[in-house]
Each structure stands twice: as C-alpha cells, then as structure tokens.
C-alpha cells in the first residue's frame, strides 16, 4: 500500500486525469458530525468532530473540509485512525515549513488553510483510510467575541458535504452578569429548519441546539444532495448592572469587560477624506455617495463635520469644519452628489489636509475622528509608503484616531492598517459588493456615538496587562482588558477606570478580594482569553515596529503561541499523518491573500494539454518523459472559490488583449519566445490614429504624425481629456474612459518582459480579448478533485501552480489547470491577431 501511495503522489501533478477518478462521496459515509461551542466571558472554544467510514473494501483518501471564522486561532487538530491518534503540532512558521520541505521531495499538498470571503477561512486536509475502516477528525479553534453595535455574534459554519445521520450543533453560553438578548440568525435559521433548533436560557446560562434530521438536511432552502451548507449565527448580549462593567478572575488571571451605555453623547468633530480617483469609477463611487448621504443625515446637530475629496489634487468642501445644522447638511449633500471619479491618488496630501482641519478645530468636550476611504495605492504626490506613515503620524500626534477603510481588493491593506494602528484607529476592508454602502454605514455607526475619551484602565495588583489606554470609547462597543493577578500577599484587587465624558472627568472603581470565592468555579479559559488578547494586540504592534523592537515582540508572540498552541501568522501547525503519507502544514492566511504554495512545491509547471505536448509512456510509470513546447501560463480569477483557474498558451503568439469598440480603444500583445517570459511588445490603440507602443526598452507615443519615446526608468504623469498616464517604478498606469490597465515591466530569472493587468473592466457591450473575461464561476464536481463544472460543462482539470504576475511580489499560487477552450469559452484562434 505504501509503495502505491508514493507513486501516486509523485505523478499527481502530471497525470491526474489519467489516474482513476477519485472516489465519490457514496464510497465514504460521514456517519457523525458534531460542532460543540462553549462560550464563557465572551471567549468561544469550538470543536468540530467528523466521523467517517470507508465503505469500500479498498483503502482510499478521505477528506475533512470545514470553514472557521477568520478572527479565530486554530488551537488543535487531531485525527484518529484505527485507535491511533495523530495530533497536529504547532511550531514556528519557518521551522514547520522546513520540516515539511524535508519530508516532501515532490507533491503538492500545501495551502490547507485558505481565506474565503469576508469572514471565513477554510481548513482542508485528507488522509488515506484502510478498507472498511473509520477515521475521526477533530478541529478546535478559539476566539474572543467582539461587541459591535451592542451585540456579540458567534458564527458557526456547517457544511459536512453530505447529509449526516447524527448531525448536531451544540452551543453553551455561560456569562456571569447574565445573558440578555439571545437570537439565532444566519442562513440555517429558516422556517424549514425551525423545529430542529431549540434554545433554553437561565439567568446566567444559555443553550442552543440544532439537530436537523437527515431528511431535513437535504430538503431545506440552502441544502441539497450534499446536505447542509450555511451559517448559524448566535447573537447575544449580557446584562450590565454596574457602570464599571464585569470584572472576573480565576486561577490568577482576570478579565475586565467595560461597556457603559448610560453616559451622554460627546459631540464629534469628524472629517471624511474620500478617494475619487479614476479607480473608484462606477459602482464604487455611487455606493460611496449613497453611504455619505445617509451618514450626513445621521450626524447630530451639535456635531461638526468636514468633507475632503481627493485624486491627484485635494478638494476640501469647506476650509473649516461646520456645524451639522440643516443648512450646512443640505449644502454638503449637494457636494456629495457631485463627487466624480477622476485622476490619480494622493493619499498623503489628502490625509494631511484632513488632519490640519481637525487640528484647527480641537475643543474640549468634543471627540475628533478622521475617516479615510480609499480603493487604491498612493500613486501621486508622496508615494513612498514609509514617508506617508511618518508624515501622518507626526501630524496627528495621537490627538485623535484615524480610521482607514480600504475599498475592494486592489488596496494595499497592510499599508492602510498600519497607518490606522499607528494613530489609535483600525483598518477595515469594505468588500466590493452590492452591500458596500451598508458596510460603510455600518462602520460609521460603530464610531458614531463617542461616550468617553482618554480612557485609562488601572489595576492595582495586576501584571502583564493587555492594552489599558484607549483614546475613545463608543456606545455599543466594549473595552476588554485582561491580565495576571500578582500574589504579593495583597488581599484585594482593585480596578479603576479614569476617563473624560461629555462635561467632566469620570472615575469608576471596584475592589474584589483576591481570595477565590468558594462558589466561583475555576475557569482556565480566562488564562487562554488573556493569551489570545495579548497575542492579537502584539500582532498589531509588531506591524508598527522595525529592527530589534520588532524581533523582541515577535519572540514574545512566538513564546505565547507555542505555549497555548495558537496557529497565527507567526506559527504553523504540522498536521502529522500515518507513516507513508506526507505531513501538511497549516498556515494562517493574511487578510486578502490568495492561497500560495511554497516554492518547493511549485515544480509542476506544465501539464497534459495534448495540443501542445506529446507523451511517451514507458512501462515503468515513474520514468515518464514528456516533451513540451514552451507555454505561458495565465491566471483567471474565480468567483467565490479558493483556487483560480489557469490555462496555457504557446509562446510567440500575438494576442488580442482587450477590445472596447464603444470607446474606440484596443490593446494587443505579442508573447515572448521562451516559457515564462510574458509579452515582448504591447500596443495600445485609441482614437483611431493614436497608439502607444510598449516594449522591454521603453514606451513610444504616436499621435498619428510624430512619435515620442520614453525609457521605463522615467516618471510620467499626464492627464489629458479622458486619458491619464502615470509611469512610476516601471509600471505604467493607463486610465482611458472606464478602462484602467497597468502595464508592468518585469525582470525575472534573466528574462525581461511585459505583463498587463486589468484594474478596471470597461463597461458596455461587445468587449472582447483574453483580458475581457470576467472572473469565472465554477463548481467542484462533487467527490472528485479533478473535475470542475464551468458554464454547465464538466471539464477535467489538474492542480498546478504558477506565479501571479498581477502583483509585484509575484507570489506562486495554486490553480486548477483548465483547457483554454473552457477557461476562455472560445478557441485560441478567437484571441489571436495578425497584426499588433
Ligand atoms: C461540549 O464541550 C464541553 C467542553 O469540552 C463539554 O463539557 C460538553 O460535554 C460538550 N458537549 C457536547 C454536547 O458534546
Ligand atoms: C471486494 O468486494 C468485491 C465485491 O463485494 C469482491 O468481489 C472482492 O473480492 C472484494 N475484494 C477484496 C480484496 O476483498
Ligand atoms: C447607548 O446605547 C444604549 C443601548 O442601545 C441606548 O439605550 C443609549 O441611549 C445609547 N446612548 C446614547 C448616548 O446614544
Ligand atoms: C508576567 O510578568 C512578569 C514580570 O512582571 C514576568 O516575569 C513574567 O514572565 C510575565 N509572564 C508572562 C507570561 O509574560
Ligand atoms: C496611559 O495614559 C497615561 C496618561 O496619559 C500615561 O501616563 C500612561 O503612561 C499611559 N500608559 C501606557 C501604557 O501607554
Ligand atoms: C519548470 O520545469 C523545469 C523542468 O522540470 C524546471 O527546470 C524549471 O525550473 C521549472 N520552472 C519553474 C518556474 O518552476
Ligand atoms: C509634429 O512635430 C512637428 C515638429 O516638431 C510639429 O510642428 C507638429 O505640430 C507635430 N505634430 C503633432 C500632431 O504633434
Ligand atoms: C454588439 O455586437 C452585435 C453583433 O455583432 C451588434 O449587433 C451590436 O450592435 C453590437 N453592440 C454595440 C454596442 O456595438
């Protein structure tokens, strides 16, 4: 058996379609699937247990595939096969990677945790199970629930992949101050499933059970042959009897939840800094206008506000902040109605302008906030990211928080997040979707009602505290501090809160004896809560540091993660498996990251496109040799799926990249002659007789009569009529009407080539070319890993990898290698041109 497995792994990349199709789900049965979530002091520990039987008299690979909240840390993974358990081991990320690399000489089993959508991460692994045997998978993850708009939400995603006879979700909540509201929401909370859900409540405890029958699992709205697929969201809040909140201690640790709501609102000074650069074109700018109009309508009469729009220039609506009275709001709404997209992005100048406006308006008894909304990188003015961070930090000087909202996936979120964190704010992604305006309003609501400023949390007898100073506290949110209680023979532990409310300084304090009250049950979760919160805050801090300080903080994070078993951006889990099978490594994906494979696994660069290659099958299958003509691999993003598609095109061809007949512009490119060499030449035609020619040495503008040449190393910033051209750092950013394309010059592995990236798809009909293809929608055909359904047709694919040239760092990504005809929905000949 072992020999067989090894051969199969070795050939996986090249021969997948030739290997017998993977077993369908009928060959294995998930006979039990339990999710058990326990929440105390808002700290949730969730265990997913899946028990699977191999029903055939042959060993086979069985998959475990679940989704967990992004905010959570995985803390345990265990497989039990034939009485033997295999526990995942958390190690430093590099060490885990190294061990893995040594164990694997070939293969492609990376990327077992990947980011999906707004809130979830996907965990996926598999193991070979002997004939008629069973396996149990058990995954544990932990998270501190965050209070937003007055509520905590525990999200549980259930998708076992088939109807399960013994399916259970059990949630147990124990909150000492008492559970206040308790609601059940999410896609699984439907009428058909209503009788499968039960909830019970005492003063301090709540239980939610979800036990749908096997029949219900395939009949409900969002369910099918594959059983349940959806979320159960448990929404709750706790009672708050004392203003100082809920102070709890156990086993030498304490946690303090502070969320008063009985205070007067503090008038705000708020400045909105809104990106109106060309990339905000279309729906984004429309949604921004919609959200702003609503937000303006929600300002209180004693709030002061300012509006700044920016592209390559900065346009304040008024030089000063104005009172949010009827007359001013009407005028501001007119201004908002007229926000139009245009030009480049000067974030530095715009945020400095907003800071200046607020700095001139600071008054006692008010709370100031700066809110930046952008969808792109700084492309004009100051573009050095470090300089921008430094400028903004100096200008704000901790006087008020800066919130950075990154609209869509083209933003450099790390840059925005760091800028926000350095200025006491938070970074938030706004997803480009139909509800973007609601996401913007939702964010604003969270900070709409400041109740306290300059909040200091002081603990006499506390040590190793999490963050204790907070610049502002908003109604509906919560301040959480955890720490250790030093046992220097003090008899009492005192918590004190000092802050500034609307009109005066306020203090709250509470003293509790350090002796354990006999009634309080020991709760080891408080220690884990402390560790979780400490790690989360140190990760935010680490982003802002450099040099030795950064290393010190990293070391602290690492020590805690190893002690508590958390899988974080600095640690990974080695998933160990029975002998003869590759171990896998679970990495925590970064926000917005596509799943990437390590370089060591990226060796499968060509596959079985019979059009372009010949097989030569000798008898010993491990010695297959393949003759290939060089190809260039293209990525095609997929909607709602973790892996993109990819397809290969032979070198040397001239391709139609984009043709927009409505705006009289088109772009063609000629591929280089060797593999992985991108384009050698790209020509952009516009206004019938004008064109811009790009090659690897420079750029030539032809206006019908004269030609002007620029080398790639100069900076250009031209804006004329509806065309904008910005050349910087060997990237030409071209905006033409509704189209935005970036042409990048690459020098990689001794090859120099061009690579175009579409940043804004032209709108209108009859757009053609290989770049015109919108993100593809596909489904994995159930039970196989090598067939996808694209446009109602099943196609054979194989797992492959390529470099993603659409971002400068050119990460290696995993993709489904798909025949060109299915990926592009056309023949190669439809995309070639005889003349550039
Ligand atoms: C859920 O987990 C808790 C804590 O491990 C345990 O006490 C409880 O019995 C479990 N509940 C179920 C229904 O398995
Ligand atoms: C597997 O099952 C099939 C059908 O039940 C039977 O014919 C075959 O002999 C079995 N093979 C083994 C190895 O048990
Ligand atoms: C804060 O929120 C609570 C609960 O939603 C509400 O009763 C109270 O009026 C709010 N306070 C202010 C100042 O809006
Ligand atoms: C807590 O703080 C003490 C010193 O105040 C230090 O010796 C100890 O290592 C800290 N514990 C942790 C887990 O950081
Ligand atoms: C918290 O704020 C107070 C008052 O501004 C200051 O003295 C103290 O050093 C701050 N603490 C931390 C940990 O920054
Ligand atoms: C592609 O495969 C060839 C032959 O195995 C290898 O030499 C080359 O380095 C690979 N290229 C990449 C980009 O992995
Ligand atoms: C082409 O160059 C000539 C000489 O420099 C100039 O007179 C003419 O205006 C240019 N034509 C265009 C269309 O720019
Ligand atoms: C798109 O192409 C169709 C068929 O060639 C044609 O009838 C239609 O007028 C075109 N639409 C536009 C906007 O050019």
């Amino acid at each position: 058996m072992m020999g067989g497995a090894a051969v199969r792994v070795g050939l996986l990349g090249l021969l997948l379609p030739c290997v017998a199709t993977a077993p369908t789900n009928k060959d294995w049965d998930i006979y039990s699937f339990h999710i058990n979530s326990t929440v105390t002091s808002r700290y949730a520990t969730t265990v997913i247990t899946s028990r699977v039987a191999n029903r055939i008299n042959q060993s086979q690979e069985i998959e475990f595939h679940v989704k967990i909240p992004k905010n959570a840390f995985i803390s345990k993974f265990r497989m039990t096969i034939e009485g033997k358990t295999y526990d995942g081991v958390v190690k430093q990320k590099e060490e885990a990677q190294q061990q893995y690399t040594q164990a694997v000489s070939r293969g492609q089993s990376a990327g077992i945790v990947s980011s999906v959508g707004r809130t979830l991460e996907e965990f996926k692994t598999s193991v070979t199970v002997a004939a008629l045997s069973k396996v149990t998978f058990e995954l544990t993850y932990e998270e501190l629930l965050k209070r937003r708009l007055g509520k905590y939400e525990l999200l549980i995603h259930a998708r076992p992949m088939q109807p399960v006879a013994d399916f259970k979700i059990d949630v147990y909540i124990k909150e000492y101050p008492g559970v206040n509201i308790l609601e059940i929401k999410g896609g699984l909370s439907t009428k058909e499933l209503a009788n499968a859900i039960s909830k019970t409540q005492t003063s301090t405890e709540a239980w939610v059970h979800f036990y749908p029958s096997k029949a219900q699992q395939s009949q409900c709205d969002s369910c099918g042959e594959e059983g349940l697929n959806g979320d159960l969201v448990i929404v709750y809040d706790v009672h708050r009897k004392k203003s100082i909140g809920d102070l709890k201690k156990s086993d030498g640790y304490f946690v303090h939840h502070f969320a008063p709501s009985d205070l007067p609102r503090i008038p705000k000074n708020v400045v909105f800094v809104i990106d109106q650069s060309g990339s905000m074109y279309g729906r984004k700018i429309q949604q921004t206008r919609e959200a702003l109009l609503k937000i303006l309508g929600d300002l209180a009469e004693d709030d002061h506000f300012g509006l700044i729009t920016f592209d390559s220039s900065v346009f304040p609506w008024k030089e000063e902040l104005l009172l949010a009275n009827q007359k001013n709001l009407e005028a501001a709404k007119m201004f908002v109605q007229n926000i139009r997209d245009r030009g480049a992005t000067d974030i530095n100048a715009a945020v400095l302008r907003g800071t200046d406006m607020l700095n001139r308006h600071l008054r006692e008894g008010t709370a100031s906030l700066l809110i930046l909304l952008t969808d792109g990188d700084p492309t004009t003015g100051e573009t050095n990211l470090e300089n921008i961070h430094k400028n903004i930090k100096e200008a704000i000087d901790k006087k008020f928080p800066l919130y950075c909202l990154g609209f869509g996936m083209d933003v450099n979120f790390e840059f925005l997040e760091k800028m926000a964190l350095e200025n006491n704010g938070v970074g938030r992604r706004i997803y480009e979707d139909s509800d973007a305006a609601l996401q913007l309003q939702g964010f604003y609501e969270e900070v709409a009602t400041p109740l306290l400023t300059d909040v200091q949390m002081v603990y006499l007898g506390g040590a190793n505290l999490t963050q204790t100073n907070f610049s502002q506290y908003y109604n509906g949110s919560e301040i959480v501090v955890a720490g250790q209680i030093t046992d220097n023979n003090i008899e009492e532990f005192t918590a004190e809160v000092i802050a500034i409310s609307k009109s005066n300084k306020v203090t709250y304090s509470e003293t509790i004896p350090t002796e354990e009250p006999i009634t309080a049950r020991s709760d080891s979760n408080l220690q884990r809560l402390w560790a979780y919160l400490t790690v989360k805050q140190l990760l935010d801090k680490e982003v802002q540091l450099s040099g030795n300080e950064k290393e010190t903080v990293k070391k602290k994070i690492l020590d805690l993660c190893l002690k508590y078993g958390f899988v974080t951006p600095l640690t990974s889990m080695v998933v160990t498996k029975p002998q003869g099978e590759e171990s896998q490594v679970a990495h925590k994906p970064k926000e917005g990251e596509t799943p990437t494979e390590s370089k060591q696994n990226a060796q499968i660069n060509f596959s079985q496109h019979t059009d372009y290659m010949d097989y030569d099958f000798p008898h010993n299958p491990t010695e297959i040799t393949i003759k290939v003509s060089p190809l260039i691999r293209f990525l095609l993003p997929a909607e709602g799926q973790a892996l993109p598609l990819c397809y290969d095109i032979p070198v040397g061809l001239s391709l139609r990249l984009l043709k927009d007949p409505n705006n009289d512009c088109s772009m063609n490119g000629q591929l280089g002659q060797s593999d992985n060499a991108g384009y050698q030449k790209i020509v952009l035609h516009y206004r019938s007789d004008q064109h811009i020619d790009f090659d690897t040495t420079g750029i030539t503008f032809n206006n019908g009569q004269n030609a002007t040449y620029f080398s790639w190393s100069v900076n250009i910033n031209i804006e004329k009529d509806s065309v904008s051209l910005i050349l910087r750092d060997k990237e030409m950013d071209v905006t033409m009407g509704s189209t935005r394309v970036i042409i990048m010059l690459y020098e990689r592995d001794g090859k120099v080539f061009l690579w175009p990236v579409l940043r804004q798809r032209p709108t209108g009909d009859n757009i053609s070319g290989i770049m015109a293809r919108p993100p593809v929608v596909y489904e994995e055909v159930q039970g196989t890993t090598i067939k996808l359904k694209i446009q109602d047709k099943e196609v054979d694919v194989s797992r492959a990898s390529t470099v993603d040239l659409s971002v400068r760092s050119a990460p290696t990504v995993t993709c489904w290698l798909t025949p060109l005809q299915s990926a592009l929905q056309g023949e190669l000949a439809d995309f070639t041109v005889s003349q550039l």
Side-chain angles (χ1 to χ4, degrees):
M1 207 40 245
M2 267 171 58
V7 168
R8 185 166 160 209
V9 166
L11 294 174
L12 216 55
L14 300 169
L15 281 185
L16 239 126
C18 310
V19 173
T21 48
T24 66
N25 266 358
K26 292 187 194 85
D27 296 337
W28 38 280
D29 177 30
I30 302 174
Y31 60 93
S32 161
F33 193 94
H34 289 184
I35 302 180
N36 179 1
S37 208
T38 307
V39 192
T40 53
S41 300
R42 294 56 139 188
Y43 193 69
T45 305
T46 303
V47 184
I48 304 179
T49 310
S50 174
R51 296 184 170 83
V52 191
N54 178 0
R55 293 281 182 234
I56 57 174
N57 65 2
Q58 218 180 9
S59 73
Q60 63 171 327
E61 205 169 351
I62 287 179
E63 220 179 58
F64 175 68
H65 184 170
V66 294
K67 290 179 186 159
I68 67 168
K70 278 184 184 175
N71 211 27
F73 292 151
I74 289 174
S75 57
K76 193 170 155 195
F77 177 66
R78 162 177 284 186
M79 290 190 277
T80 308
I81 307 160
E82 289 165 38
K84 258 190 100 168
T85 58
Y86 300 88
D87 281 305
V89 185
V90 175
K91 298 196 167 178
Q92 185 176 1
K93 188 168 178 175
E94 293 76 21
E95 193 190 331
Q97 188 61 44
Q98 202 175 9
Q99 173 176 347
Y100 172 57
T101 308
Q102 281 165 358
V104 183
S105 56
R106 294 173 71 92
Q108 40 155 345
S109 37
I112 66 173
V113 186
S114 53
S115 180
V116 288
R118 297 183 191 177
T119 49
L120 295 171
E121 273 166 19
E122 183 175 57
F123 179 97
K124 199 173 180 179
T125 188
S126 63
V127 68
T128 304
V129 177
L132 305 168
S133 286
K134 292 175 178 173
V135 56
T136 302
F137 299 99
E138 192 185 302
L139 179 77
T140 306
Y141 60 87
E142 302 175 27
E143 67 193 308
L144 180 64
L145 304 179
K146 224 182 170 117
R147 189 163 183 258
R148 281 217 176 96
L149 303 175
K151 284 163 189 168
Y152 306 99
E153 287 192 355
L154 173 72
L155 184 150
I156 295 173
H157 185 82
R159 188 195 178 197
M161 313 289 272
Q162 50 174 259
V164 176
D166 173 27
F167 180 98
K168 283 182 177 173
I169 297 179
D170 293 291
V171 177
Y172 169 67
I173 300 171
K174 167 110 191 167
E175 295 287 3
Y176 286 93
V179 176
N180 184 359
I181 40 172
L182 178 68
E183 288 164 16
I184 298 161
K185 293 189 176 161
L188 295 178
S189 174
T190 60
K191 239 200 229 140
E192 300 103 315
L193 293 174
N195 69 351
I197 299 178
S198 68
K199 59 174 188 180
T200 31
Q201 214 176 327
T202 67
S203 61
T204 61
E205 291 169 299
W207 293 263
V208 174
H209 302 294
F210 177 54
Y211 298 166
S213 67
K214 201 166 176 176
Q216 274 178 317
Q217 290 170 49
S218 42
Q219 284 158 10
C220 68
D221 243 1
S222 58
C223 320
E225 270 173 41
E226 294 168 29
L228 294 175
N229 180 6
D231 298 329
L232 202 62
V233 183
I234 319 296
V235 182
Y236 78 97
D237 197 15
V238 301
H239 287 292
R240 276 162 244 277
K241 289 168 195 125
K242 291 177 287 191
S243 294
I244 192 163
D246 176 18
L247 192 62
K248 189 159 169 278
K249 67 179 186 59
S250 166
D251 289 342
Y253 287 81
F254 77 90
V255 60
H256 183 189
H257 287 90
F258 177 66
S261 61
D262 53 353
L263 291 162
R265 200 181 54 80
I266 301 180
K268 300 192 286 294
N269 308 314
V270 57
V271 173
F272 299 94
V273 180
I274 307 297
D275 188 343
Q276 60 172 6
S277 64
S279 51
M280 290 285 288
Y281 174 85
R283 192 163 70 154
K284 280 199 261 184
I285 201 98
Q286 211 176 311
Q287 290 170 325
T288 302
R289 278 196 298 261
E290 190 185 319
L292 274 175
L293 290 174
K294 178 78 174 50
I295 288 170
L296 287 175
D298 287 347
L299 287 172
E301 265 193 20
D302 53 357
D303 285 341
H304 284 75
F305 71 105
L307 286 169
I308 295 176
T309 60
F310 72 101
D311 42 65
S312 41
S313 310
V314 178
F315 307 96
W317 167 58
K318 294 277 157 47
E319 287 301 326
E320 309 288 331
L321 272 73
L322 291 188
L323 191 64
N325 61 25
Q326 200 63 33
K327 179 169 147 272
N328 290 338
L329 286 175
E330 288 309 318
K333 286 179 183 173
M334 289 292 288
F335 176 78
V336 168
Q337 300 278 18
N338 286 311
I339 296 178
R340 295 283 177 270
D341 59 289
R342 41 174 283 176
T345 312
D346 189 349
I347 289 179
N348 185 65
V351 177
L352 286 178
R353 187 67 161 263
T355 303
D356 177 55
M357 273 169 74
L358 277 173
N359 274 338
R360 285 187 283 121
H361 199 88
L362 298 175
R363 288 168 303 142
E364 245 177 62
T366 63
S368 296
L369 305 83
L370 188 55
I371 300 178
L372 166 69
L373 173 71
T374 180
D375 76 332
D377 300 345
T379 55
T380 184
E382 178 62 76
T383 55
N384 178 303
L385 304 184
E386 268 177 43
N387 290 349
I388 299 177
H389 281 146
K390 190 166 146 281
N391 294 345
I392 307 293
K393 195 174 165 187
E394 272 173 22
I396 294 182
D397 193 25
K398 297 206 158 41
K399 288 195 286 286
F400 45 81
L402 166 66
Y403 295 97
C404 295
L405 308 180
F407 203 152
M409 299 311 274
D410 278 347
V411 292
N412 180 341
F413 190 72
E414 263 176 49
F415 159 74
L416 290 180
E417 185 172 45
K418 180 173 170 184
M419 190 155 76
L421 289 171
E422 282 182 337
N423 295 291
N424 292 321
V426 292
R428 186 74 68 81
R429 172 107 60 197
I430 302 297
Y431 293 85
E432 232 180 305
D433 217 332
S434 53
D435 70 340
L438 286 176
Q439 296 174 54
L440 286 167
Q441 286 163 36
F443 168 79
Y444 169 76
E445 265 175 65
E446 287 178 41
V447 297
T449 318
L451 298 183
L452 293 170
T453 64
D454 306 286
V455 185
Q456 264 176 276
M457 315 283 285
V458 183
Y459 301 91
L460 273 178
N464 301 337
L465 304 174
T466 59
Q467 188 186 340
T468 51
N469 284 4
F470 301 85
S471 69
Q472 298 182 348
Y473 161 72
Y474 308 101
N475 204 14
S477 74
E478 182 169 62
I479 287 175
V480 185
V481 181
Q484 281 168 298
I485 297 177
T486 51
D487 55 358
N488 294 335
N489 298 324
I490 53 162
E491 274 151 28
E492 290 173 339
F493 173 72
T494 302
E496 193 179 23
V497 182
I498 305 161
I500 297 172
S501 97
K502 183 178 179 183
S503 45
N504 51 327
K505 188 168 160 179
V506 294
T507 46
Y508 306 101
S509 78
E510 176 167 316
T511 299
I512 52 175
T514 46
E515 282 292 300
E516 295 284 337
I518 299 159
T519 48
R521 271 190 305 170
S522 167
D523 176 6
S524 66
N525 260 355
L526 277 197
Q527 183 175 351
R528 296 191 72 83
L529 186 162
W530 166 81
Y532 173 97
L533 191 58
T534 304
V535 167
K536 280 267 173 190
Q537 292 180 353
L538 287 176
L539 283 167
D540 283 349
K541 200 163 155 195
E542 189 251 343
V543 174
Q544 305 171 43
L545 299 173
S546 58
N548 277 346
E549 281 180 320
K550 194 184 186 87
E551 291 312 310
T552 309
V553 168
K554 270 185 157 175
K555 173 83 174 53
K556 261 195 205 165
I557 301 174
L558 192 59
D559 288 347
L560 282 170
C561 291
L562 294 178
K563 178 164 178 198
Y564 292 94
F566 293 146
V567 177
T568 66
L570 298 185
T571 45
S572 300
M573 181 183 274
V574 178
V575 172
T576 53
K577 295 192 184 176
Q579 228 191 346
E581 286 191 65
E582 292 167 33
S583 49
Q584 290 178 302
V585 177
H587 297 301
K588 186 150 183 90
K590 273 192 192 155
E591 166 60 37
E593 186 178 60
T594 46
T596 58
E597 278 185 294
S598 68
K599 288 226 162 36
Q600 288 82 0
N601 301 317
Q603 8 168 314
I604 303 142
N605 46 16
F606 298 118
S607 190
Q608 63 302 315
H609 279 230
T610 36
D611 305 16
Y612 317 129
M613 68 172 88
D614 310 303
Y615 291 105
D616 179 7
F617 283 89
H619 291 298
N620 181 346
T622 55
E623 284 170 19
I624 287 176
T625 57
I626 294 176
K627 294 181 214 137
V628 288
S629 66
L631 301 168
I632 293 180
R633 182 157 296 166
F634 290 74
L635 271 174
L636 187 58
E639 208 147 80
Q641 295 280 2
L643 293 191
L645 301 188
C646 50
Y647 58 93
D648 289 335
I649 292 186
V651 299
L653 294 180
S654 292
L655 300 174
R656 167 169 297 138
L657 299 178
L658 197 64
K659 183 165 182 181
D660 178 0
N662 316 308
N663 289 305
D664 193 13
C665 74
S666 67
M667 185 163 81
N668 300 322
Q670 184 180 14
L671 294 175
Q673 284 298 340
S674 58
D675 59 301
N676 301 325
Y679 295 86
Q680 288 304 300
K681 196 165 179 192
I682 291 176
V683 179
L684 186 69
H685 300 270
Y686 62 106
R687 285 205 212 110
S688 63
D689 60 342
Q690 315 208 355
H691 55 104
I692 309 175
D693 300 359
F694 299 82
D695 63 24
T696 54
T697 61
I699 302 148
T700 312
F701 294 83
N702 291 281
N703 66 4
Q705 296 175 15
N706 304 343
T708 321
Y709 170 87
F710 294 95
S711 98
W712 277 100
S713 49
V714 302
N715 285 359
I716 299 179
N717 192 340
I718 304 173
E719 240 186 284
K720 216 177 142 212
D721 306 327
S722 62
V723 181
S724 136
L725 298 162
I726 300 161
L727 172 62
R728 183 170 286 111
D729 299 331
K730 305 196 172 163
E731 288 186 22
M732 175 69 108
D733 188 332
V734 185
T735 310
M736 233 175 237
S738 62
T739 312
R740 180 165 171 232
V741 183
I742 311 231
I743 296 171
M744 303 164 91
L745 180 71
Y746 272 100
E747 289 169 48
R748 282 173 62 88
D749 309 326
K751 292 167 187 156
V752 184
F753 59 88
L754 304 171
W755 196 258
V757 182
L758 189 64
R759 278 288 145 81
Q760 178 76 46
R761 193 174 303 287
T763 47
D765 294 332
N766 299 353
I767 313 283
S768 58
I770 62 167
M771 291 172 76
R773 179 97 174 91
V776 64
V777 179
Y778 72 78
E779 285 168 51
E780 290 181 20
V781 174
Q782 189 53 42
T784 86
T785 49
I786 55 168
K787 264 187 200 299
L788 299 183
K789 198 168 186 182
I790 304 172
Q791 303 256 311
D792 292 329
K793 279 213 180 105
E794 288 189 8
V795 289
D796 288 341
V797 297
S798 62
R799 207 178 238 271
S801 70
T802 186
V803 284
D804 180 358
L805 292 169
S806 69
V807 281
R808 224 352 132 186
S809 57
T812 300
V813 298
T814 308
C815 53
W816 291 119
L817 184 58
T818 311
L820 175 140
Q821 290 79 357
S822 308
L824 290 180
Q825 296 288 308
E827 294 299 324
L828 184 55
D830 301 339
F831 299 96
T832 54
V833 289
S834 53
Q835 208 186 354
L836 291 185

